[in-house]
Amino acid sequence: MLVVDDDEVIRQLIAVNLQLEGFEVETAVDGQDCLDKVAEVRPDVITLDVMMPRLDGWVTAVRLREDPGTRHIRVVMITARAQEHDLRRGDEIGVDAYVTKPFDPAQLIQTVRTLATVSG
């Protein structure tokens, strides 16, 4: 698992909840950090915030999908923005799931578990 969010509180909340469920979790502070770490971490699933400095979640997701080495990784977008055009954009990029803030940790865990099972 790779948890990507520029908000330390949210990043740790997601990481701790997933660790309690038995997932191995690494974290990244933004999209560029995610791309720098992804080859080393080799996650099955990435949770990706949309609004981040340096490289936002949309650009990061596109780069993950364009790279043959990361194309297979399941991506869960986590954002406060849940408008129709955002969902459409996620579909066009090939995002696997979309979770809106504020999110229910149990829902997020279930989404990640389902995607990890599919990719594993």
Side-chain angles (χ1 to χ4, degrees), residues 106-120:
Q107 177 204 1
L108 177 63
I109 289 163
Q110 183 58 46
T111 300
V112 168
R113 182 178 285 128
T114 299
L115 291 174
T117 302
V118 169
S119 64

Side-chain angles (χ1 to χ4, degrees), residues 62-79:
V62 167
R63 292 199 183 160
L64 289 166
R65 289 296 178 247
E66 288 175 345
D67 183 339
T70 59
R71 181 175 294 144
H72 66 283
I73 299 171
R74 302 297 180 163
V75 176
V76 180
M77 300 298 282
I78 300 180
T79 183

Side-chain angles (χ1 to χ4, degrees), residues 89-104:
R89 187 173 181 188
D91 285 344
E92 289 166 6
I93 292 170
V95 168
D96 297 288
Y98 208 90
V99 175
T100 55
K101 293 178 186 175
F103 58 87
D104 173 7

Side-chain angles (χ1 to χ4, degrees), residues 41-55:
V41 174
R42 300 174 46 144
D44 292 323
V45 180
I46 296 174
T47 64
L48 194 55
D49 185 28
V50 170
M51 305 292 284
M52 294 183 291
R54 290 205 299 169
L55 210 57

